[in-house]
Amino acid sequence: MPFFILRMEIFVLSLGFLGILFILYLIFVNTHIKTNKITISSSKIPDSFDNYKIVFLSDLHDCSLGTKSRKRLLRAVGKSCPDVIFLGGDMHEKENRDKAYFSLLDLLGRIAPVYFVEGNHEIKLRKRRDFKKYSSEFEKRVFNLNGRTPLVKGGKSINLYGCGYFEYEKNLFDFDKKVFSIFLCHSPFVFDDLLSFPDLMLSGHVHGGIIELPFVGAVFAPGDGRSLFKRFRKEFFFPKYYKNSYEKEGSTLVVGRGLGNFKYCPIRLIFPEIVEITLNSKNFL
């Protein structure tokens, strides 16, 4: 056998082997949910909120919720034993009421109270009135944030703020500096636009940068519905905020990598993620 043909066969076999490994990697990534655990400490956190657990979910995008996938997600959330669950937007994007999504919403509400803000995809629902009417049926356990609401425990409280993606304005909130404040907002890029900073801000939207390269970081940011051509702009490459936590002006931004992916690209290249945040009162240190 000529040496050139032998080398070509080895090359083809190597590509096939790498292709199989990549497929196995995708299967593994898309069937496992990672929990990112973060602790937030502050002397402003009341003693009654010490060890208070928050589970943050975002960007499900109506990912296929087969029985195993749903149980896996609910099991991961329940394992954290949360006091409250926050949904950071783009959980639901179908044009009408989707039984699978609202069934999940109902089951999450049985684990802990759920507070959510809307992302750029939920806002675009055609049958929006139907969606909001159906959401209201869970109002005793599931709350759509649009302003400030106190979270109370042991007779003391912290402030929770939130607004929908298209409702945000830079002067919308003036966070009370005397009370520990949490701001729930779909896009993390709002963080650089705030006139007043909360103690903790929770966001999603970026999907972990779609793909993360070693020594480079995240590669892409969502185009907010823009055409494919318009997405090839500088602002959509190498996003500044895409995972874990960031500090600025005494404020912490936590960005979740999300659970699902865009409907035209259902396969994730990085692990679906839930974020478990534990509040730590420095009064106990």
Side-chain angles (χ1 to χ4, degrees):
M1 179 181 295
F3 182 68
F4 174 75
I5 296 178
L6 179 61
R7 290 185 63 182
M8 284 298 295
E9 288 183 349
I10 294 174
F11 177 71
V12 171
L13 287 173
S14 298
L15 285 180
F17 179 70
L18 290 174
I20 292 172
L21 287 180
F22 183 65
I23 292 172
L24 291 175
Y25 169 78
L26 288 180
I27 293 172
F28 182 73
V29 164
N30 285 269
T31 55
H32 289 76
I33 299 173
K34 285 197 170 183
T35 300
N36 183 14
K37 297 184 179 182
I38 297 173
T39 299
I40 302 295
S41 300
S42 173
S43 58
K44 293 167 66 175
I45 297 174
D47 295 348
S48 58
F49 279 85
D50 190 65
N51 205 37
Y52 189 82
K53 291 284 182 66
I54 299 167
V55 162
F56 177 64
L57 312 175
S58 71
D59 300 281
L60 181 65
H61 286 272
D62 289 312
C63 177
S64 177
L65 292 174
T67 303
K68 290 184 179 180
S69 297
R70 182 181 302 178
K71 286 183 178 179
R72 189 180 298 116
L73 175 58
L74 291 168
R75 186 164 56 248
V77 173
K79 187 177 180 181
S80 293
C81 298
D83 293 281
V84 68
I85 298 170
F86 294 157
L87 307 182
D90 281 3
M91 295 289 286
H92 181 56
E93 68 170 282
K94 289 185 179 177
E95 295 178 351
N96 53 17
R97 192 174 73 202
D98 181 67
K99 291 182 180 179
Y101 170 69
F102 282 102
S103 174
L104 175 66
L105 199 65
D106 182 41
L107 293 170
L108 287 173
R110 296 181 187 186
I111 296 174
V114 176
Y115 294 85
F116 74 93
V117 293
E118 295 178 330
N120 49 298
H121 284 275
E122 285 141 333
I123 298 293
K124 295 178 180 178
L125 289 167
R126 290 182 182 178
K127 298 183 179 179
R128 183 158 179 73
R129 184 178 299 178
D130 182 43
F131 170 72
K132 296 194 79 170
K133 180 181 178 181
Y134 200 68
S135 298
S136 68
E137 295 181 15
F138 301 101
E139 62 185 7
K140 292 183 179 180
R141 303 193 302 270
V142 180
F143 309 91
N144 188 350
L145 276 173
N146 188 15
R148 180 186 71 88
T149 186
L151 298 178
V152 181
K153 185 178 182 182
K156 296 184 179 180
S157 65
I158 59 177
N159 285 332
L160 174 62
Y161 301 80
C163 64
Y165 182 86
F166 292 107
E167 296 165 342
Y168 169 78
E169 295 178 6
K170 65 169 59 180
N171 60 350
L172 185 62
F173 297 113
D174 184 15
F175 302 104
D176 187 345
K177 297 300 181 182
K178 296 180 181 179
V179 180
F180 187 82
S181 59
I182 301 174
F183 180 37
L184 193 59
C185 186
H186 182 60
S187 174
F189 305 119
V190 165
F191 194 54
D192 288 335
D193 190 51
L194 293 172
L195 298 180
S196 173
F197 287 91
D199 296 288
L200 173 64
M201 178 174 164
L202 305 177
S203 298
H205 185 55
V206 188
H207 293 247
I210 314 299
I211 185 173
E212 184 179 7
L213 299 177
F215 310 109
V216 176
V219 178
F220 301 109
D224 298 343
R226 293 172 174 83
S227 68
L228 184 62
F229 177 76
K230 290 183 178 179
R231 291 182 191 186
F232 284 94
R233 293 181 177 177
K234 184 178 179 180
E235 61 263 35
F236 298 121
F237 287 89
F238 309 111
K240 181 178 180 181
Y241 305 122
Y242 66 96
K243 70 172 184 177
N244 296 334
S245 60
Y246 306 85
E247 304 288 334
K248 181 179 179 180
E249 301 286 340
S251 178
T252 300
L253 166 66
V254 172
V255 183
R257 295 189 178 200
L259 292 161
N261 216 348
F262 313 105
K263 59 183 177 182
Y264 299 116
C265 181
I267 297 174
R268 285 182 65 94
L269 298 175
I270 56 176
F271 285 95
E273 179 185 80
I274 72 172
V275 182
E276 177 190 301
I277 299 169
T278 303
L279 300 186
N280 185 351
S281 172
K282 285 188 174 180
N283 297 323
F284 277 2
L285 296 181

